[in-house]
Amino acid sequence: MGRFTAAIAFLAVLLLFGAPAGSEAAGTAPRVAILCVPSCSGTTFEALLDELRNLGWVENATIVLERKEAGSRLDQLSVFAADLVRSKPDLIVAFTPQAVRAVKEATSDIPIVMLFVADPVGVGLASSLAHPGGNLTGVATLVPGAFMGKMLEVLRELLPHAKRVAAFLNPSSETLRLLFPREAPAAAAKLGFELDIINVKETNEIPGAVAAAKAGGAEALWIVGDPIFHSPPHRVPDLAAQARLPSIYLVRNLVQAGGLISYGPDFPGEARRGAHYVDRILKGAKPADLPIEQPAKYLLAINLKTAKSLGIEIPPSLLARADEVFE
């Protein structure tokens, strides 16, 4: 009987103290759900994870991450958002305006950190940048009122004699629906550009859009910025090269993949800043009390190989300002 009692006691000790390493963290660590468009991968997403680690949040040890990838199924974002909310995470990170809108409409209680939304106040996601209110905060992608004009200024410097530019827009992006007509036409007219607006709702429409731009006499493509144009990163640059159309992008990855030039936010840097919002909220801060940040700098990237293939000489002034040059 004494041996039996001792064995029971030993088993009790194992149950109390002998759990595998990390199992306690898995049970008590905060849970963060992430809604990604198009995927939870790549340089930007890794920047978010790396900065979280720098802040002490190690996946499956001090934090549990639940990833949900939308791919190109933007029409399913409300379903994905509802699934994440039902899982009752401590916080949700959402990438891109469509995903942020879906999550915001799915919950008014769970804190939300948004990334890559151009004008959160203009589209009604926040009361103001300084005082967001509600359950959402994060990092805005653009500074409304000037950025689109800056992109066109870069394009004008690159192509001093070009007249007609085809602008590719995804009409499902409410931010672009608001910002583009407010800013782009006046900036284009000032710089002597005629704009052809081509709406692209699905990735399978991109080849036809490039062909339509070429047939319409476009001398350049302006890929204003949306996830459907960014994945895979070589899709639009390859089509533009085949059509021999110089193109300007928002995302430097597309220039690395063969696009001509990009001018846009430091997306990995913004993701790292987003990690600090996650850290502060998990430590007790309220989203309503955390001001939304705006970009302090925009990055210029140029692909010299693509320029050579198109017979374009990059002005020294642009090369001098470039943050990254691909050869």
Side-chain angles (χ1 to χ4, degrees):
M1 181 65 69
R3 288 182 178 179
F4 179 77
T5 302
I8 293 296
F10 178 70
L11 286 173
V13 170
L14 282 179
L15 289 173
L16 284 172
F17 302 107
S23 64
E24 182 180 354
T28 60
R31 290 178 52 251
V32 174
I34 307 175
L35 182 54
C36 302
V37 179
S39 66
C40 297
S41 61
T43 304
T44 299
F45 187 76
E46 289 303 319
L48 172 71
L49 298 187
D50 183 62
E51 193 66 13
L52 284 173
R53 287 190 290 269
N54 291 340
L55 293 167
W57 299 104
V58 180
E59 187 171 6
N60 298 324
T62 59
I63 192 171
V64 176
L65 303 179
E66 177 184 350
R67 298 163 170 81
K68 181 76 73 172
E69 298 182 342
S72 60
R73 298 168 295 172
L74 300 185
D75 60 332
Q76 295 296 305
L77 281 171
S78 60
V79 176
F80 299 147
D83 288 344
L84 290 179
V85 169
R86 274 194 294 271
S87 71
K88 297 182 178 178
D90 297 286
L91 183 148
I92 299 175
V93 177
F95 290 79
T96 77
Q98 296 96 321
V100 173
R101 171 66 69 190
V103 173
K104 187 74 171 67
E105 290 180 349
T107 179
S108 58
D109 301 316
I110 300 172
I112 300 168
V113 173
M114 66 167 185
L115 289 168
F116 312 153
V117 177
D119 186 8
V121 176
V123 298
L125 290 169
S127 299
S128 71
L129 296 177
H131 304 284
N135 61 324
L136 177 145
T137 189
V139 186
T141 307
L142 309 178
V143 178
F147 178 76
M148 290 193 178
K150 292 291 186 183
M151 285 193 83
L152 286 175
E153 286 174 10
V154 170
L155 189 61
R156 173 51 76 208
E157 195 170 350
L158 177 68
L159 303 172
H161 305 297
K163 293 293 184 184
R164 186 171 293 275
V165 175
F168 283 15
L169 302 178
N170 181 355
S172 75
S173 172
E174 59 182 324
T175 304
L176 290 179
R177 280 205 314 272
L178 288 172
L179 281 181
F180 191 86
R182 188 191 314 161
E183 298 183 14
K190 181 179 178 182
L191 293 166
F193 285 125
E194 297 176 15
L195 285 181
D196 292 333
I197 299 171
I198 299 179
N199 287 321
V200 182
K201 298 178 182 178
E202 305 287 346
T203 54
N204 59 13
E205 297 176 1
I206 296 175
V210 174
K214 184 71 172 180
E219 298 164 85
L221 299 181
W222 180 16
I223 312 302
V224 183
D226 190 85
I228 68 169
F229 302 122
H230 301 162
S231 181
H234 63 81
R235 177 192 281 122
V236 179
D238 285 354
L239 291 167
Q242 292 166 20
R244 297 197 59 77
L245 283 170
S247 306
I248 185 168
Y249 305 88
L250 187 71
V251 182
R252 51 80 65 189
N253 288 7
L254 276 68
V255 176
Q256 185 178 22
L260 177 57
I261 193 167
S262 68
Y263 181 73
D266 176 5
F267 287 101
E270 290 205 356
R272 289 185 181 276
R273 289 159 68 188
H276 287 260
Y277 281 89
V278 173
D279 175 66
R280 294 172 68 183
I281 291 170
L282 292 180
K283 289 177 178 176
K286 297 182 183 300
D289 299 331
L290 299 178
I292 294 169
E293 293 186 37
Q294 290 185 293
K297 181 182 180 182
Y298 294 105
L299 304 180
L300 179 67
I302 300 169
N303 190 312
L304 292 182
K305 182 179 178 181
T306 300
K308 184 177 180 180
S309 71
L310 292 170
I312 294 173
E313 184 174 347
I314 304 296
S317 57
L318 279 179
L319 282 175
R321 300 206 312 269
D323 299 278
E324 203 164 8
V325 176
F326 298 101
E327 301 187 60

